[in-house]
Amino acid sequence: MAHSDSHILAGRRILLGISGGIAACKTAELARLLVTASCDVRVVMTPAATQFIAPLTLQAITGWPVSTEIFDPQQEAAMGHIALARWADLIVIAPASADCIAKLYTGQADTLLHTLCLASTAPLALAPAMNTHMWQHPATQANIQGLQQRGVRCWGPADGAQACGDTGPGRLSEPTELYQHIVAHFTHGSLADCHLLLTAGPTREPLDAVRYIGNRSSGRMGYAIAAAAVEQGARVTLISGPTALACPAGVTRYLVQTAQQMYDQVMARIAQADIFVACAAVADYRPETCADHKIKKGSTPYSLTLVPNPDILATVAALPKPPYCLGFAAETDQVLAHAEAKRQAKQIPLLAANQVSATTGIETDENALTLLSDQGRIHLPQQPKQRLARQLIHHLAEQYHAQTAVQNS
Ligand code: C5P
């Protein structure tokens, strides 16, 4: 893996920051992968990080002394902290602890690592790792979201069993995954410097303590689009309904259940998006009320009152300054006519129409799409969703750049 990416990473100057946490021992492997791919790696550790891994280990791997203290005359003589801040092409902090993230958000500079981050204009990526409750705490979430709004990348955390015995999001992403994020960061594809926000999967609309109204969407098409956009250099945020799929490498994912939650997550982030892709199969209606107990079986007909959900795509498209919008239309009959009517009704520039059948569309491995825009129709024939997603991203990038060029002229 490292060999084939060497041409992308060779000579890149990566400042690897390590803050205090049990996951710090995994960072040595990331450093090794980067050095193997001919990156120039310098390591800066917070004093707390040195409790978890010896600076000498990182020094042996990278071939450079590891910096830990702000006022160390020896280190300043080797490369002053301002010079190091200017030197970096990319700063990656792995693991980024809750404390490290909080200090970055408020701009504190009481460690060498935080001073460097303040003094550097290099892109900054964080790989959070902490106890799952610390990660989910509103304070940490507010800090990380605030940093993301400033353009800081957030890679992970992964979900799973933790050293402290808890289970949930908070594990450091695997070194190989972080390495792939770094490769994607330097891969200048057709969507380099774009932030793509995407919805995928189904929604679930609860009607009592145990039941919900849902649909058969697997999320596969949306997840394939998210992965294809990362390949083309986009920063991708995925708002996903419940699926069995793992979050694609390089994608920041927020999981939701209901259409209203999906709407809220999208609207909280849409101002930062250049492109919005609405791939989710959003429930059009939800039960007006949700019983807090299990509704009992009876012998008489039972009726539910359903109320409409907000239309996320239509709302985004109607914003004063909307991002470039791609919508989907899954139809069973008169596909193109219905799809074009939907494109006009929602006022979106690009719409991907697909015929739902036994082998294409929902819950299938393959799909075929027809792209509708003011420029005409493009048919993408039936094929695996991963290949189709790459073709779709190719056309999306072309049309997005064409529209941006017109707006700037
Ligand atoms: O109107 P219809 O639901 O068929 O439109 C489908 C398109 O609109 C898809 O792109 C879907 O993701 C999006 N949509 C949405 N919010 C809804 C319903 C649909 O974003 N409430």
Side-chain angles (χ1 to χ4, degrees):
M1 172 188 61
H3 177 72
S4 61
D5 298 319
S6 290
H7 65 287
I8 297 167
L9 292 187
R12 304 284 187 185
R13 296 164 168 186
I14 302 199
L15 202 155
L16 199 52
I18 310 181
S19 68
I22 184 75
C25 53
K26 283 195 197 170
T27 314
E29 175 61 6
L30 175 61
R32 193 192 63 76
L33 288 169
L34 293 171
V35 168
T36 309
S38 305
C39 286
D40 198 350
V41 183
R42 304 291 164 90
V43 175
V44 174
M45 296 171 72
T46 63
T50 62
Q51 303 290 319
F52 295 93
I53 184 166
L56 200 58
T57 307
L58 278 309
Q59 176 170 332
I61 293 170
T62 62
W64 292 96
V66 171
S67 311
T68 50
E69 303 294 336
I70 312 180
F71 304 114
D72 181 335
Q74 245 184 345
Q75 286 170 0
E76 284 293 305
M79 187 182 316
H81 68 272
I82 296 296
L84 200 52
R86 287 203 190 112
W87 169 88
D89 292 328
L90 172 68
I91 303 177
V92 180
I93 304 183
S97 65
D99 176 61
C100 171
I101 291 169
K103 284 179 178 164
L104 287 170
Y105 180 63
T106 50
Q108 293 178 51
D110 61 345
T111 70
L112 174 63
L113 179 58
H114 288 89
T115 309
L116 281 169
C117 289
L118 267 188
S120 181
T121 54
L124 172 63
L126 306 178
M130 66 197 73
N131 167 272
T132 190
H133 300 295
M134 289 172 83
W135 170 250
Q136 287 168 2
H137 194 285
T140 307
Q141 286 301 306
N143 291 338
I144 198 78
Q145 285 168 22
L147 286 166
Q148 283 181 296
Q149 280 169 9
R150 290 183 209 153
V152 174
R153 292 143 177 82
C154 179
W155 296 339
D159 214 314
Q162 300 202 293
C164 54
D166 282 336
T167 302
R171 286 167 58 90
L172 182 71
S173 295
E174 288 305 315
T176 47
E177 199 172 310
L178 295 174
Y179 173 86
Q180 284 306 333
H181 281 294
I182 295 171
V183 172
H185 172 81
F186 287 112
T187 309
H188 289 290
S190 57
L191 291 179
D193 301 324
C194 286
H195 180 199
L196 186 144
L197 183 69
L198 172 111
T199 65
T203 63
R204 286 182 181 173
E205 311 298 329
L207 59 100
D208 72 9
V210 294
R211 304 183 181 94
Y212 59 83
I213 298 176
N215 62 68
R216 286 168 36 213
S217 166
S218 67
R220 264 175 275 179
M221 192 68 225
Y223 276 55
I225 293 171
V230 169
E231 282 174 6
Q232 290 306 315
R235 180 158 75 90
V236 179
T237 304
L238 169 62
I239 315 293
S240 172
T243 76
L245 303 172
C247 180
V251 172
T252 303
R253 178 173 72 165
Y254 296 92
L255 290 171
V256 296
Q257 297 277 325
T258 66
Q260 185 63 49
Q261 289 167 354
M262 188 174 271
Y263 174 91
D264 293 342
Q265 287 285 351
V266 167
M267 297 319 283
R269 295 182 169 76
I270 201 67
Q272 281 79 47
D274 302 298
I275 299 175
F276 177 59
V277 177
C279 199
V282 186
D284 292 324
Y285 295 93
R286 65 174 182 274
E288 187 173 36
T289 54
C290 171
D292 54 12
H293 56 277
K294 186 177 168 198
I295 298 169
K296 289 282 169 248
K297 181 162 57 183
S299 52
T300 51
Y302 185 88
S303 59
L304 278 173
T305 304
L306 300 178
V307 294
N309 272 325
D311 190 315
I312 306 168
L313 176 58
T315 310
V316 170
L319 289 171
K321 281 189 180 170
Y324 187 83
C325 289
L326 163 63
F328 280 75
E331 306 286 347
T332 48
D333 60 309
Q334 295 184 54
V335 176
L336 295 184
H338 282 145
E340 184 56 35
K342 202 162 284 183
R343 189 174 84 86
Q344 300 293 342
K346 300 202 190 200
Q347 298 263 298
I348 50 172
L350 188 59
L351 189 130
N354 66 296
Q355 172 110 40
V356 179
S357 71
T359 57
T360 60
I362 292 176
E363 252 187 339
T364 56
D365 288 327
E366 298 209 336
N367 204 3
L369 293 171
T370 303
L371 304 184
L372 309 178
S373 72
D374 286 346
Q375 281 65 48
R377 291 176 183 173
I378 300 170
H379 185 65
L380 308 177
Q382 182 171 341
Q383 56 196 309
K385 286 179 176 171
Q386 185 195 39
R387 287 177 60 81
L388 188 65
R390 287 184 173 142
Q391 291 182 11
L392 176 62
I393 284 292
H394 170 78
H395 291 288
L396 171 68
E398 257 182 14
Q399 306 224 3
Y400 163 69
H401 290 301
Q403 172 167 310
T404 316
V406 169
Q407 282 167 352
N408 293 341
S409 64

